[in-house]
């Protein structure tokens, strides 16, 4: 999930479990929920006292256990047996298993139908695809002889034959590698030898086609077999390693269909199971049938000898893997352990994976390693045994020295070149050596247990190790997956009064003697008394039920109109080259392809081929003779009768290029070296004199000046919205009109460019947007080009065209978050008497990687400059931002819009200063937080009348004291002293996020409101719904205004023919804009119907008032509009101070007031790091956010959780990789490597904080927004970086000097964490100085 942060999904799913409350962790220490405790009034337990305090303070508190309990009550009370039976009722009756003496749904004929179906399934099948898609021929044999006969007949024919069980490999080959297989076999489950799993006295026998889930289930059965079974111990010791590895193998969905035989046959060099099978001495049974009337021939080969090269195995074409025989592990003194490390724990392929097996034998004075097997994946082009290392160990004493020498041998055996495919050469070698050390510690613990269980026999002494070494024995592979739980606190619902009290007042109200705010407060309190409030309540997301059932309609779900065509973009395959020629004729020769369009066709339409949100520096379709500026640049579009045909056509188009001299500029460093900048958009902020002079001192006012300088890099991020870009373009009126259904945050921008490029008046182009499956800024500008392509094709063909980008295409060409580089010099004054440290001066240059087109790169950099102070006061400040032009795809808006990157650089500088001053980061941060009436470097003053209440110091102190952070840090330090290989860390950071578009004209919004005669209300506004709950909040505002139930207000969609000239839904401003605009429209209607209402009895329903107003010819529709006050938005970078500008006003305030107010917050995180692998888990997170007076606390908490987890992903596991100087193994240069879920990892369930507590600050009204609320979409994103700082804290503990500075680049991937620990194992695998070593990255 990319939106929720997983916690609510976990709660809802867990409520379906019968044992949801078996875990004591969901209750109080006594086992009873506090509010259900019979001793509630007298109980003095902390949990009860705290809860009663919250209740008395008007704070609503809800925990995971509360929600689970509520969900279960709802499920039990609201749904009938019919509702529960829906899945069975919908399932085909013919496939329901036969149940004796049972009639399904009263249909007595079901038994006979099922029996007939089962008979059919016992017969062999052959299905041939004779359509234009040419899907090949499928066979389903029902006995082994038939299967082997098919292989004998077709194995050596053209195209051969492929056996498919779960389609987990073949599906990838056909979709992404465009492989074509003319014949495929899916063996029937009636071939028992392929599917059965059973054990004998010597082996586990695993059918090659049995699913991995079934194997995992059987392993669990063997592990829990009866103790009376004489083989119980052996079965457990054999099954557990397989079971543990399978738990982390891909996903449950993949394991349900994938099989072990397929895993072995595809011979992936990074397979998890193959090294384990090789280490365990597994034997493959290969079956064949040389002649039709002959016997089945079986051949046995060890798994360790099966892999002969990259994706090559020791198997003849006509042979089939029938089963895998795994020898049972001995009942004692033989040990097996699986290891893996990936970019993400769940559902990810390994970077390095390993299986290790060892047998030790007691000798006179020690234990001897009598047998050992070590197999690796990810260390070579195939699964390999570490034969030299094994030879160096076998026969040696079982001691730490033996394994230390073995690590040296392992390094010699597997050291890889710098440009090895897959990269990460040093890290992969470090992992292999670390796994070996883990195996030693694992075996030592198991040996102690074996010896301890047989005290009657005398054994030689067991090797000893320091106690702190024991923590390295186990990793996440063998541990139980954690649950997610949390607590959510928010103020009691109320209707607060905000900007509407003054901004929407009419002339009559303004002339009244009663203050406007007082009147508004009175109205709000009156509505609370009458229980007619809609604002302030935690209402369900308007589309929530449809999201849950899968019935919510997105752009690609719209039913196909008549004559629909499908589109596929023609994309450039290289960059830094001139496109000389394009030939579409091969595409037109493919059956089912209707047309192909290029820039020449746009010229025929009379359209303008230029595009771009700020600069018109892009092309809809690249013209011949122009330079290709990024890999994947659109050249044209092919349309066909199906998606597959269109894609085939697009791939067949021939494009000729002329290479340019020199290499493409890819990274920020490349751009700096080449001087590749948009210099017109280089901006700076300066205050307090010359920072360079301020930093060139040794003392100031008798205080020592400590100066640091360095750099910090943070990488990009892929939006990974769950719905890729999708457009349905429908022409009408003989192609003169266009209706565009698009997944976009910017309907008007989409309308403008579709009109511009197709030469159609904007009034004849309607863009409609129902809902998006996520946007996060990625559909603010980068969705437009695909809509334009579909519009061009629809207009030229005069037929509807659907263009939905594949995930890999979307990720390849739409850009993402900008990578940043900060180069800084900073100084702080140290009071040597008190130990206090005050920030003094900062001089920083920041660069962002904008890609090849400007898009929104300049504004993103500007917001980074506005946030590079974060929450800290620097008296002398100088920051310069330079946008870099490279050959990456155009980068664009992403949640936070440059703010998080600026704040990340700020926090890194704070860490550096703290380390150099030998002061804790917590103290340095707290002592240098802005205070009320302080000013930012860009001239905004903190305080109620300026930006609203400045609450960060209050929130910092509250969380610091409530959590007792010093105690938590001390506990982490104590833990770290006792554990060498597992370290804990703590992170605690603040944030402020400016709310407004930095472009002044964009701070406006409109809404159209209709009141119908039945008392219901339809709202249309300029914002778009992308899951953030905007429509729900707007409906609450309207419902509150009219005093009607929330369900009586509806938003249908966002459409340019209802509300025109709209602003993109971005900058977290939408509720501020459209809530106010909607309220404006509502009040216009209310003012018109007030005389009607006054003429009717008190308490008359709105529907009766509306009906009477209609008959009295009163207009029941209104257009509302809102714009942020002129003096509360906009910033002119080049404006000089006017002559005579008052000196008591802040420096730079003459340039403008870039933000209306700040949303503020603080976050605390605790993590645990596995030093030997770089793996980490987030144990706990506590977040406190000031969101004003929340319009909908449930949605706001959801936004906080979702933003936090997305921010946590950006700074930990989400790494974007390009073909650059650091990744020369990727081709062509500048190509995006991370183009799908296989290579790019967003957080999964197991990455979410195990305890995730979120609180909304109470009594935090905001006079500058509707109903005193605050924007919430983007501000909490940066708080996810508290996890990054907790990891950094843990790494510092591993390095041995927590006060010594080091640069940990962002994201903190497992590679960066592992290599930053600088222990002896990692250091021996690095080239160069270990303390300054930096893993490769794309910045």
């Amino acid at each position: 999930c990319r939106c929720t942060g997983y916690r609510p999904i976990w709660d809802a799913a867990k409520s379906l479990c019968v044992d949801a409350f078996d875990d004591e962790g969901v209750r109080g220490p006594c086992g009873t929920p506090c509010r259900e405790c019979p001793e509630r009034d007298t109980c003095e337990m902390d949990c009860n006292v705290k809860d009663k305090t919250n209740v008395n303070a008007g704070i609503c508190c809800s925990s995971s256990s509360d929600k689970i309990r509520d969900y279960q009550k709802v499920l039990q009370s609201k749904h009938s047996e019919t509702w529960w039976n829906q899945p069975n009722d919908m399932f085909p009756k013919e496939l329901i298993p036969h149940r004796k003496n049972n009639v399904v749904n009263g249909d007595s004929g079901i038994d006979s139908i099922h029996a007939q179906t089962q008979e059919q399934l016992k017969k062999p099948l052959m299905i041939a695809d004779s359509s234009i898609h040419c899907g090949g021929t499928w066979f389903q044999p029902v006995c082994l002889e038939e299967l082997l006969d098919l292989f004998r007949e077709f194995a050596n024919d053209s195209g051969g034959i492929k056996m498919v069980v779960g389609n987990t490999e073949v599906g990838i080959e056909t979709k992404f590698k465009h492989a074509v297989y003319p014949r495929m076999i899916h063996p029937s489950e009636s071939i028992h030898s392929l599917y059965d799993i059973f054990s004998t006295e010597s082996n586990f026998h695993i059918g090659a086609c049995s699913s991995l889930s079934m194997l995992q289930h059987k392993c669990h059965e063997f592990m829990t077999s009866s103790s009376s079974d004489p083989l119980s111990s052996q079965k457990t010791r054999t099954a557990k390693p397989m079971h543990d590895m399978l738990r982390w193998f891909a996903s449950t969905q993949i394991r349900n269909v994938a099989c072990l035989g397929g895993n072995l046959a595809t011979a992936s060099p990074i397979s998890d199971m193959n090294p384990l099978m090789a280490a365990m001495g597994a034997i493959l049974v290969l079956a064949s049938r040389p002649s039709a009337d002959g016997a089945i021939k079986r051949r046995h080969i060890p798994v360790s000898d099966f892999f002969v090269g990259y994706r090559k195995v020791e198997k003849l074409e006509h042979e089939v893997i029938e089963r895998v025989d795994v020898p049972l592990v001995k009942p004692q003194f033989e040990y097996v352990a699986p290891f893996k490390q990936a970019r993400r724990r769940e559902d990810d392929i390994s970077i390095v994976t390993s299986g290790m097996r060892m047998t030790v034998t007691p000798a006179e004075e020690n234990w001897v390693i009598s047998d050992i097997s070590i197999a690796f994946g990810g260390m070579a082009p195939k699964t390999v045994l570490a034969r030299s290392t094994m030879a160096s160990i076998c026969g040696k004493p079982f001691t730490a020295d033996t394994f230390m020498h073995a690590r040296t041998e392992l390094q010699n055996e597997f050291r890889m070149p710098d440009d090895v495919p897959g990269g990460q050469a040093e890290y992969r070698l470090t992992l292999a050596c670390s796994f070996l050390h883990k195996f030693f510690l694992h075996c030592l613990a198991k040996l102690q247990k074996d010896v301890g269980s047989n005290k009657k026999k005398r054994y030689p002494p067991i090797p000893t190790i320091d106690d702190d070494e024991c923590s390295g024995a186990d990793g996440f592979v063998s541990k139980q997956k954690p649950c997610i739980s949390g607590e959510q606190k928010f103020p009691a619902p109320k209707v607060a009064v905000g900007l509407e009290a003054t901004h929407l007042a009419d002339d009559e109200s303004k002339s009244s003697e009663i203050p406007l705010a007082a009147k508004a407060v009175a109205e709000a309190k009156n509505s609370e008394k009458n229980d007619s409030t809609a604002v302030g309540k935690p209402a369900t997301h308007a589309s929530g039920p449809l999201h849950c059932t899968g019935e919510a309609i997105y752009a690609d779900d719209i039913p196909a109109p008549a004559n629909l065509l499908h589109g596929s973009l023609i994309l450039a395959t290289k960059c830094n080259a001139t496109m000389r020629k394009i030939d579409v004729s091969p595409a037109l020769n493919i059956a089912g392809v209707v047309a192909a369009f290029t820039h020449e066709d746009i010229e025929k339409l009379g359209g303008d081929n230029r595009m771009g949100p700020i600069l018109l520096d892009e092309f809809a379709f690249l013209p011949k003779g122009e330079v290709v500026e990024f890999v994947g640049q659109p050249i044209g579009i092919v349309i066909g009768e199906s998606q597959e045909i269109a894609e085939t056509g697009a791939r067949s188009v021939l494009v000729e290029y002329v290479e340019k001299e020199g290499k493409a500029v890819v990274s920020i460093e490349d751009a700096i070296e080449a001087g590749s900048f948009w210099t017109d958009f280089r901006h700076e902020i300066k205050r307090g004199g010359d920072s360079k002079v301020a930093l060139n001192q040794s003392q100031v006012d008798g205080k020592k000046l400590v100066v640091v300088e360095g750099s910090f890099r943070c990488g990009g991020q892929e939006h990974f919205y769950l719905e890729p870009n999708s457009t349905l373009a429908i022409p009408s009126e003989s192609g003169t009109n266009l209706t565009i259904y698009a997944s976009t945050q910017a309907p008007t921008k989409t309308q403008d460019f579709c009109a511009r490029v197709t030469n159609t008046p904007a009034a004849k182009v309607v863009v409609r947007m129902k809902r998006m499956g996520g946007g996060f800024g990625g559909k603010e500008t980068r969705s437009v080009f695909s809509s334009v392509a579909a519009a061009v094709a629809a207009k030229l063909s005069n037929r509807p065209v659907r263009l939905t980008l594949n995930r890999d295409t979307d990720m390849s060409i739409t850009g993402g978050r900008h990578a940043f580089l900060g180069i800084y010099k900073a100084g702080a004054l140290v009071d040597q008497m008190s130990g206090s440290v005050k920030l003094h001066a900062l001089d920083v240059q920041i660069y962002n990687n904008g890609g090849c087109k400007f898009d929104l790169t300049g504004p993103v950099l500007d917001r980074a400059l506005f946030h590079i102070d974060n929450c800290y006061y620097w008296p002398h400040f100088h920051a310069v931002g330079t946008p870099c032009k490279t050959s990456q795809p155009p980068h664009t808006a992403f949640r936070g819009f440059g703010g998080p990157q600026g704040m990340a650089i700020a926090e890194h500088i704070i860490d550096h200063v703290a380390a150099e001053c030998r002061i804790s980061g917590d103290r340095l941060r707290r002592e240098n937080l802005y205070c009320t009436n302080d000013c930012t470097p860009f001239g905004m003053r903190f305080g109620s009348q300026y930006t609203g209440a400045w609450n960060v110091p209050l929130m910092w102190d509250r969380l610091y004291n409530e959590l007792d952070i010093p105690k938590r840090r001390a506990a982490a330090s104590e833990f770290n002293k006792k554990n060498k290989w597992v370290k804990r860390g703590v992170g605690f950071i603040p944030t402020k996020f400016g709310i407004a578009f930095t472009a002044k004209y964009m701070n406006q919004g409109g809404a159209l409101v209709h009141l119908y005669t039945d008392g219901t209300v339809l709202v249309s506004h300029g914002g778009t719904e992308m899951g953030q709950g905007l429509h729900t909040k707007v409906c609450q505002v309207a419902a509150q205004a009219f005093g009607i139930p929330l369900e009586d207000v509806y938003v249908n969609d966002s459409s340019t023919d209802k509300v025109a000239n709209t602003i993109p839904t971005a900058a977290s401003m939408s509720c501020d804009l459209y809530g106010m605009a909607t309220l404006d429209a509502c009040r216009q209607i209310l003012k018109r119907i007030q005389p009607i209402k006054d003429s009717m009895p008190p308490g008359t329903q709105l529907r009766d008032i509306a009906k009477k107003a209609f008959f009295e010819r009163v207009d029941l529709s209104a257009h509302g509009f809102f714009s942020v006050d002129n003096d509360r938005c906009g910033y002119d970078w080049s404006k000089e101070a006017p002559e005579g500008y008052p000196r008591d006003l802040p420096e730079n305030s003459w340039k403008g007031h870039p933000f209306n107010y700040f949303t503020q917050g603080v976050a605390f995180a605790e993590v645990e790091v596995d030093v030997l692998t770089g793996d980490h888990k987030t144990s706990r997170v506590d977040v406190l956010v000031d969101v004003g007076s929340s319009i909908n606390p449930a949605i706001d908490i959801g936004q906080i959780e979702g933003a936090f987890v997305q921010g946590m992903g950006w700074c930990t596991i989400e790494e974007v990789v390009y073909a650059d100087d650091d990744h020369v193994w990727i081709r062509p240069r500048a190509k995006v490597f991370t183009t799908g879920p296989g290579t790019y990892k967003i957080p999964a369930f197991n990455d979410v904080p195990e305890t995730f507590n979120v609180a909304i600050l109470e009594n935090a009204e905001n006079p500058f927004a509707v109903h005193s609320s605050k924007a919430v979409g983007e501000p909490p994103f940066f708080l996810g970086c508290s996890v990054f700082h907790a990891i950094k804290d843990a790494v510092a503990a591993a390095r041995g000097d927590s006060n010594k500075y080091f640069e940990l680049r962002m994201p903190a991937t497992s590679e960066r964490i592992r290599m930053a620990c600088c222990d002896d194992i990692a250091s021996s695998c690095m080239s160069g100085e270990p303390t300054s070593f930096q893993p490769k990255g794309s910045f």
Side-chain angles (χ1 to χ4, degrees), residues 690-692 694-695 705 825-829 838-843 874-878 909 913:
D690 192 330
S691 292
K692 289 184 171 62
L695 289 165
L705 179 64
K825 188 173 184 179
L829 298 175
K838 285 292 185 180
L839 302 177
H840 179 62
L842 174 64
D843 193 332
W874 294 89
H876 304 276
F877 183 96
H878 181 226
I909 295 170
V913 171

Side-chain angles (χ1 to χ4, degrees), residues 452-508:
S453 65
N454 192 353
K455 296 181 179 179
K456 295 181 180 180
K457 192 170 181 179
R458 183 179 176 277
Y459 292 107
I462 298 172
T464 58
I465 56 172
D466 293 338
D467 290 343
D468 65 353
E469 284 269 354
C470 299
S471 58
D474 296 313
F476 73 89
V477 174
S478 59
K479 293 179 180 177
Q480 184 175 352
K481 294 186 179 183
C483 288
I484 301 167
S485 63
E487 190 176 71
Q488 301 81 46
K489 295 180 183 178
F490 56 91
K494 68 176 181 178
V495 182
V497 176
L499 185 60
E500 69 276 7
T502 54
H503 198 281
L504 298 182
D506 54 28
D507 294 336
E508 183 180 336

Side-chain angles (χ1 to χ4, degrees), residues 63-81:
S63 67
S64 292
S65 55
D66 296 329
K67 290 181 175 63
I68 292 167
R69 193 174 289 105
D70 291 342
Y71 294 154
Q72 290 191 334
K73 289 177 182 177
V74 170
L75 289 170
Q76 292 165 5
S77 63
K78 288 187 66 174
H79 300 304
S80 64
E81 187 176 350

Side-chain angles (χ1 to χ4, degrees), residues 113-135:
I113 294 173
H114 180 262
Q116 293 171 19
T117 304
Q118 294 305 307
E119 281 301 313
Q120 286 296 114
L121 292 176
K122 291 178 182 177
K123 298 177 181 179
L125 288 173
M126 184 183 80
I127 300 174
D129 180 8
S130 57
S131 72
I132 56 177
H133 294 96
C134 302

Side-chain angles (χ1 to χ4, degrees), residues 694-695 697-708 826-841 874 910 912-920 923-924 927-928:
L695 289 165
Q697 304 174 69
S698 58
Q699 284 192 341
V700 177
D701 296 332
K703 297 176 182 177
K704 180 184 176 182
L705 179 64
V706 175
V707 177
V708 300
L829 298 175
V830 180
D831 186 329
Q832 293 176 318
M833 295 291 291
S834 66
S836 175
V837 177
K838 285 292 185 180
L839 302 177
H840 179 62
W874 294 89
I910 292 292
H912 195 170
V913 171
E916 196 67 24
C917 294
R918 314 295 285 185
I919 186 176
S920 77
R923 182 178 176 185
L924 182 65
E927 290 184 353
N928 289 277

Side-chain angles (χ1 to χ4, degrees), residues 1047-1064:
E1047 55 265 27
D1048 286 351
V1049 186
Y1050 180 60
V1051 175
N1052 183 32
D1053 64 4
S1054 304
S1055 182
T1056 56
D1057 62 350
K1058 296 174 185 172
V1059 179
N1061 307 315
T1062 61
I1063 298 301

Side-chain angles (χ1 to χ4, degrees), residues 688-826:
D690 192 330
S691 292
K692 289 184 171 62
V693 173
L695 289 165
N696 194 27
Q697 304 174 69
S698 58
Q699 284 192 341
V700 177
D701 296 332
K703 297 176 182 177
K704 180 184 176 182
L705 179 64
V706 175
V707 177
V708 300
E709 53 186 316
S711 63
F712 178 70
R713 293 161 178 79
C714 51
Q717 187 180 21
E718 164 58 36
H719 297 92
F720 214 97
Y721 26 69
L722 296 194
E723 176 203 22
N725 277 291
S726 182
T727 299
L728 173 61
I730 302 177
S732 59
E733 303 293 327
S734 299
T736 59
N737 288 28
L738 287 169
T739 301
I740 310 293
Y741 297 88
S743 180
T744 180
Q745 295 172 238
T748 292
K749 198 178 297 290
T750 303
Q751 176 194 31
D752 288 347
F753 282 105
C754 286
R756 181 189 189 106
V757 177
T758 63
N759 192 24
T760 306
K764 293 186 176 184
V765 177
V766 176
V767 175
R768 302 188 66 181
M769 216 300 295
K770 178 71 175 178
R771 62 173 62 86
M772 277 172 278
F776 313 114
K779 296 174 182 175
E780 182 178 344
T781 61
R782 301 315 302 166
S783 64
V784 176
F785 74 90
S786 61
S787 294
V788 166
V792 168
K795 182 153 187 174
L796 286 165
S797 65
N798 198 24
R799 289 176 64 177
V801 171
R802 193 193 303 274
L803 175 59
T804 299
L805 301 185
N806 289 326
R807 172 70 59 190
D808 57 324
T809 302
D810 192 299
M811 291 179 68
S812 295
I813 66 177
T814 57
R817 184 182 297 279
H818 294 72
F820 267 68
L821 165 64
I823 301 172
Y824 61 87
K825 188 173 184 179

